[in-house]
């Protein structure tokens, strides 16, 4: 037997936030929420874990810095230490100020791009991806909340959602 | 209302007294004559320089005529005029003795400058903090910031030091102008007489114009500070927004005045210590240093007052914002520091690069250590958003930042005034204690003058509920 979910549609974000709090208090399980724009505080209300994207960006930045240092050290100091305009290419530290712009840029480059790619991978976003959109109106002006029916009484759950201010409630077979 | 705790008062007074005693000792201990310097050097490096001392004595004995050495010392007063080729030809050995005496004379000037320079660095450092806070305060008004009005009274109290602190700096400048010290080499007419580069700058670098300019900067800053703070007090009983609008315009005007005068102030008070050297982004560099020290001081004092239960409307989001500023402006300072250093290092033009060569050779620990205290430490500790809300983290980083920017001012001033004879000893620490005590006394005393929460500011409610 396929599990069922209820799609409750809300008209505005204040109502939605209030409903999320009530539903969580009543111990129903919220699946997804679809919004046309970021609702401030929704993740906190839903109890989602904070993102670790910033931590990955820091680590990627360190990778970029290491790449820059290793590259400049190999090319300019170890492989072919030429005298270019009198710059001291005897050791990395002696010529370091000249490498700082590259070290900085590569740090930023790695941190930014790898973090964005991480974001795409974690959010499963890519070109030609089939949009997962239960109701086209959620991209314009409506807020849709998916609530697991699980083994709750459907009628009770529907009434409860209606009381939280949902303007439309639909029972859907979850594929 | 805040009441000045007797502990702070006592600590400030003890700091001032100990600092004053230490400074007086510093001035007394500074050598008066070349003989003092020789005695000091002999006792300091007895083992190492034994050999050179012996040859020196031999040389003196070999000089024909007993008075030659004394003559040479007198000649070095204006050595370029008198130490002519004829002199050298007359006494072949006298040349070496003359060189040695010249060196001793040089060290003497540096050691005599030491307590003065220590006084100047500390006086400027604490003045710069309050000036940086004044700029930050004006920016908050001009930008109509919604988070900061609950911190306005703390900022106002810190800017109370602008006038007294500025006057002290001004007095030191006047004393330099009266030739009581050799901090500014271009103020010495004998040096200027033999220095064409400085001669060409005398239209700008002359004592009367220098003091007039200083008076204009200080007067302007103190005047704007007085008006803005007076308006802020008046706003407490205001019924409409007219005073706020006026303060907004006043702050915008102040910022225009400030950025011009601050830039010129940094040329006058700091860059002119090395009158042969110039840098175009110097004004910004000094500004970044004062700005980040000022913001750090706001954060530390706010956290202190909050821990004593005086700022119940300040939450950790406000601290988070201040810590973000500390983090960002620290990076800004480093950016300017590096831009100035790297451009000069890269092109390596002799007349510019001596500035950094002197600092790298004579002050290696401080010069490179600044990068750790002013950049690496705040960047790594304040990068995490959660850490910016942890009070002891912010205070600890703040103390390191303040020490780092004291060292920054130290490395700006000292190489030109005391050169390789620098040491962070009794006069330096005493001067910091003296001005640190004075600064905290004036700031905490100013906190008692008005309620710690402003009223009538249109952004007050937003600021009280500020949450990030």
């Amino acid at each position: 037997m396929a599990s069922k979910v209820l799609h409750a549609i809300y008209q505005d974000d204040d109502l939605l936030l209030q409903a999320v709090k009530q539903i969580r208090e009543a111990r129903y399980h919220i699946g997804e929420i679809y919004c046309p724009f970021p609702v401030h505080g929704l993740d906190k209300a839903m109890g989602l874990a904070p993102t670790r994207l910033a931590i990955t960006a820091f680590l990627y930045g360190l990778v970029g810095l290491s790449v820059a240092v290793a590259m400049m050290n190999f090319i300019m100091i170890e492989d072919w230490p030429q005298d270019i305009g009198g710059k001291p290419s005897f050791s990395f530290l002696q010529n370091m100020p000249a490498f700082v712009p590259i070290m900085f840029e590569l740090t930023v480059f790695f941190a930014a791009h790898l973090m964005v790619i991480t974001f795409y991978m974690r959010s499963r976003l890519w070109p030609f991806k089939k949009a997962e959109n239960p109701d086209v109106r959620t991209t314009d002006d409506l807020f849709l909340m998916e609530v697991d029916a699980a083994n709750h009484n459907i009628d009770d759950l529907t009434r409860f959602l209606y009381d939280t201010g949902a303007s439309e409630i639909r029972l859907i077979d979850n594929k | 209302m805040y009441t000045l705790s007797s502990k702070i008062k006592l600590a400030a007074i003890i700091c001032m007294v100990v600092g004053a005693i230490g400074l007086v000792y510093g001035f007394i201990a500074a050598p008066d004559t070349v003989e003092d310097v020789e005695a000091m050097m002999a006792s300091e490096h007895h083992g190492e320089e034994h050999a050179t001392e012996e040859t020196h004595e031999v040389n003196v004995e070999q000089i024909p005529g007993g008075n030659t050495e004394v003559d040479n010392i007198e000649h070095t007063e204006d050595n370029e005029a008198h130490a002519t080729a004829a002199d050298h030809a007359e006494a072949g050995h006298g040349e070496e003795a003359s060189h040695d005496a010249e060196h001793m004379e040089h060290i003497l000037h540096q050691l005599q400058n030491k307590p003065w320079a220590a006084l100047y660095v500390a006086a400027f450092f604490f003045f710069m903090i309050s000036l940086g806070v004044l700029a930050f305060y004006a920016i908050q008004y001009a930008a109509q910031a919604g988070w900061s009005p609950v911190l306005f009274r703390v900022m106002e109290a810190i800017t109370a030091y602008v006038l007294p602190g500025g006057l002290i700096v001004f007095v030191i400048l006047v004393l330099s102008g009266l030739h009581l010290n050799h901090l500014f080499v271009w103020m010495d007419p004998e040096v200027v007489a033999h220095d064409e580069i400085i001669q060409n700058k005398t239209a700008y670098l002359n004592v009367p114009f220098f003091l007039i300019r200083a008076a204009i900067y200080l007067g302007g800053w103190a005047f704007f500070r007085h008006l803005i703070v007076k308006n802020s007090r008046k706003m407490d009983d205001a019924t409409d927004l007219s005073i706020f609008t006026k303060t907004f315009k006043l702050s915008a005007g102040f910022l225009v005045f400030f950025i011009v005068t601050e830039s010129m102030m940094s040329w006058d008070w700091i860059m002119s210590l090395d009158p042969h050297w110039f840098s175009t982004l110097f004004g910004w560099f000094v500004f970044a240093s004062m700005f980040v020290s000022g913001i750090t001081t706001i954060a530390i004092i706010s956290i202190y007052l909050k821990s004593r239960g005086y700022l119940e409307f300040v939450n950790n989001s406000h601290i988070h914002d201040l810590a973000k500023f500390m983090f960002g402006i620290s990076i800004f300072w480093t950016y300017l520091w590096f831009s100035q250093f790297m451009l000069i290092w890269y092109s390596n033009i002799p007349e510019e690069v001596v500035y950094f060569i002197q600092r790298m050779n004579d002050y290696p620990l401080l010069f490179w250590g600044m990068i750790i205290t002013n950049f690496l430490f705040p960047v790594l500790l304040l990068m995490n958003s959660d850490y910016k809300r942890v009070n002891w983290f912010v205070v600890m980083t703040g103390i390191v930042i303040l020490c780092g920017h004291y060292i920054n001012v130290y490395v700006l001033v000292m190489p030109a005034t005391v050169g390789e004879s620098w040491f962070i000893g009794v006069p330096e620490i005493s001067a910091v204690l003296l001005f640190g005590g004075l600064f905290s006394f004036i700031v905490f005393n100013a906190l008692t003058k008005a309620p710690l929460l402003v009223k009538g500011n249109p952004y007050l409610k937003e600021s009280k509920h500020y949450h990030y």
Side-chain angles (χ1 to χ4, degrees):
Chain A
M1 188 188 126
S3 67
K4 303 209 175 219
V5 288
L6 281 152
H7 279 181
I9 288 184
Y10 293 87
Q11 299 281 356
D12 72 70
D13 46 341
D14 285 343
L15 216 53
L16 177 76
L17 273 178
Q18 220 178 349
V20 168
K21 276 174 202 142
Q22 290 170 351
I23 290 165
R24 270 169 59 87
E25 266 168 33
R27 303 255 164 218
Y28 290 117
H29 180 257
I30 299 172
E32 290 282 347
I33 296 182
Y34 296 86
C35 301
F37 53 77
V39 176
H40 192 74
L42 185 59
D43 53 339
K44 284 231 172 64
M46 288 173 72
L48 299 181
T51 172
R52 289 167 294 178
L53 213 49
I55 298 169
T56 67
F58 178 72
L59 297 176
Y60 295 147
L62 291 185
V63 172
L65 184 64
S66 315
V67 168
V69 170
M71 178 177 78
M72 304 305 293
N73 185 47
F74 176 71
I75 297 174
M76 303 300 291
I77 309 296
E78 281 174 12
D79 190 34
W80 198 342
Q82 285 190 96
D83 181 342
I84 303 168
K87 283 280 160 289
S89 47
F90 308 109
S91 76
F92 183 78
L93 276 184
Q94 273 191 321
N95 211 359
M96 201 199 70
F99 304 149
V100 166
I102 294 153
M103 284 154 62
F104 170 75
E105 294 294 348
L106 277 187
T107 307
V108 174
F109 179 87
F110 272 62
H113 288 82
L114 293 181
M115 176 177 73
V116 166
I117 293 168
T118 308
F119 168 73
Y120 285 152
M121 284 164 60
R122 284 293 287 149
S123 347
R124 300 172 185 286
L125 287 174
W126 53 84
F128 311 113
K129 178 197 161 81
K130 194 171 173 297
E132 301 162 359
N133 194 352
D135 189 322
V136 285
R137 293 172 298 168
T138 58
T139 63
D140 182 23
D141 65 339
L142 292 182
F143 302 82
L144 187 149
M145 187 198 299
E146 236 176 47
V147 185
D148 257 334
N151 32 19
H152 302 296
N153 183 319
I154 302 284
D155 286 340
D156 287 353
L157 181 51
T158 311
R159 193 163 306 116
F160 182 80
L161 287 177
Y162 180 76
D163 288 341
T164 61
S167 58
E168 288 174 33
I169 301 166
R170 235 177 288 141
L171 184 64
I172 305 275
D173 277 332
N174 204 5
K175 274 160 262 166
Chain B
M1 287 295 275
Y2 173 74
T3 44
L4 185 58
S5 84
S6 55
K7 270 185 204 162
I8 289 189
K9 205 170 167 181
L10 191 67
I13 290 172
I14 289 174
C15 279
M16 280 191 273
V17 171
V18 172
I21 293 171
L23 259 179
V24 169
Y25 165 77
F27 277 103
I28 293 171
D32 293 323
T33 60
V34 177
E35 282 75 31
D36 290 349
V37 179
E38 279 168 354
M40 272 166 94
M41 307 250 304
S43 66
E44 271 172 30
H45 315 275
H46 200 262
E48 303 163 34
E49 306 219 340
H50 199 63
T52 49
E53 261 173 57
E54 270 178 4
T55 54
H56 169 74
E57 277 163 21
V58 171
N59 278 337
V60 172
E61 278 166 16
Q62 284 173 350
I63 293 165
N67 292 331
T68 320
E69 197 196 11
V70 183
D71 283 347
N72 276 327
I73 292 165
E74 281 169 6
H75 285 176
T76 48
E77 296 282 339
D78 36 8
N79 47 53
E80 283 177 48
H82 292 275
T84 52
D87 255 345
H88 292 286
E90 268 176 25
H93 291 290
E95 190 182 341
E96 214 170 308
S98 147
H99 181 74
D100 205 45
E102 222 173 90
H103 177 66
M104 283 299 167
E105 182 85 10
H106 180 63
I107 302 269
L108 172 68
H109 281 304
Q110 291 185 340
L111 292 178
Q112 282 177 336
N113 264 342
K114 249 189 87 175
W116 282 103
L119 185 75
Y120 187 58
V121 169
F124 181 77
F125 175 68
F126 284 99
F127 169 68
M128 142 181 132
I129 289 177
S130 67
L131 189 62
V133 172
L134 182 59
F136 189 72
Y137 181 52
I139 288 172
Q140 300 306 304
Y141 265 114
Q144 308 195 4
W147 66 279
S148 53
V150 295
L151 296 168
F152 275 3
R153 283 288 142 84
V154 177
M155 299 183 205
E156 283 168 18
I158 299 173
T159 60
Y161 186 74
V162 164
L163 186 58
L167 281 178
I168 292 168
V169 174
F170 188 71
V171 166
I172 298 175
L173 297 179
V174 170
L175 295 180
S176 303
L178 295 174
H179 307 297
L180 288 173
N181 58 54
H182 295 97
L183 287 182
F184 295 89
V185 74
W186 57 265
M187 285 178 177
D188 190 342
E190 283 189 20
V191 172
V192 178
H194 301 111
D195 192 324
E196 207 186 333
I197 296 176
I198 302 182
Q199 278 167 24
N200 292 334
K201 294 184 181 182
T202 44
Y204 188 78
L205 288 182
N206 60 73
V207 175
F209 187 32
F210 175 82
L211 292 178
I212 291 169
R213 282 196 308 265
I216 291 172
Y217 314 148
L218 286 169
W221 299 331
F223 181 64
F224 271 110
R225 188 262 164 193
H226 172 77
L227 288 184
I228 296 176
V229 172
K230 200 177 80 181
N231 277 354
S232 158
R233 303 281 148 91
K234 263 199 271 173
M235 225 184 291
D236 279 2
D237 333 295
T239 49
D240 59 6
L241 286 182
S242 59
I243 300 176
F244 178 79
T245 323
K246 221 186 279 171
T247 318
F248 168 77
K249 288 176 186 157
L250 204 61
S251 304
F254 167 74
L255 288 172
V256 174
F257 176 77
F258 172 78
I259 205 59
V260 176
T261 49
E262 188 276 336
S263 196
M264 294 177 71
M265 174 274 276
S266 67
W267 307 335
D268 283 5
W269 298 359
I270 298 180
M271 201 157 80
S272 83
L273 292 163
D274 292 281
H276 285 194
W277 182 81
F278 43 86
S279 163
T280 41
L281 62 68
F282 197 76
W284 281 106
F285 176 65
V286 174
F287 168 72
S289 197
M290 69 168 64
F291 206 49
V292 69
S293 322
I295 293 164
T296 305
T297 310
I298 298 174
I300 291 176
I301 292 183
S302 304
I303 289 172
Y304 169 76
L305 288 174
K306 175 136 182 79
S307 75
R308 287 283 171 277
Y310 285 107
L311 299 173
E312 74 274 14
F313 28 79
V314 171
N315 56 42
N316 63 12
S317 290
H318 294 105
I319 303 302
H320 183 272
D321 256 31
L322 287 170
K324 261 191 292 192
F325 269 108
M326 283 160 62
F327 174 80
I329 309 295
S330 284
I331 295 174
F332 178 62
W333 175 88
T334 316
Y335 168 66
L336 293 177
W337 178 87
F338 182 72
S339 302
Q340 179 167 282
F341 171 72
M342 197 265 246
L343 284 182
I344 289 175
W345 173 86
Y346 205 103
S347 58
N348 204 15
I349 300 172
E351 70 206 50
E352 288 178 354
V353 88
V354 284
Y355 184 82
F356 285 112
I357 286 179
Q358 195 191 2
R359 279 158 179 76
M360 283 155 71
N361 288 344
D362 296 342
Y363 297 72
L365 188 67
L366 297 187
F367 187 72
W368 302 115
M370 272 198 303
I371 317 252
I372 294 168
T373 57
N374 295 359
F375 176 66
L376 276 182
F377 203 80
V379 161
L380 292 179
L381 265 70
L382 292 180
M383 190 179 308
N384 189 319
S385 187
D386 295 330
Y387 293 171
K388 293 194 198 89
R389 294 171 193 276
V390 181
N391 285 346
W392 68 269
F393 243 85
V394 178
V395 171
M396 181 178 66
T397 318
I399 289 169
V400 173
I401 291 177
L402 286 181
C403 292
H405 284 276
Y406 171 78
I407 293 173
N408 181 33
V409 179
Y410 190 88
V411 174
L412 286 175
V413 171
M414 287 295 176
T417 50
V418 305
E420 66 271 30
S421 309
W422 70 275
F423 187 69
I424 298 193
V426 175
E428 286 79 10
I429 293 169
S430 306
V432 170
L433 282 179
L434 172 66
F435 288 105
L438 186 67
F439 180 83
S440 8
F441 185 78
I442 289 176
V443 168
F444 282 96
N445 196 41
L447 278 169
T448 63
K449 297 287 158 59
L452 284 175
L453 183 59
V454 291
K455 276 184 271 174
N457 188 302
Y459 297 101
L460 181 61
K461 194 156 184 187
E462 180 184 340
S463 177
K464 273 177 163 174
H465 299 288
Y466 176 69
H467 177 77
Y468 174 77

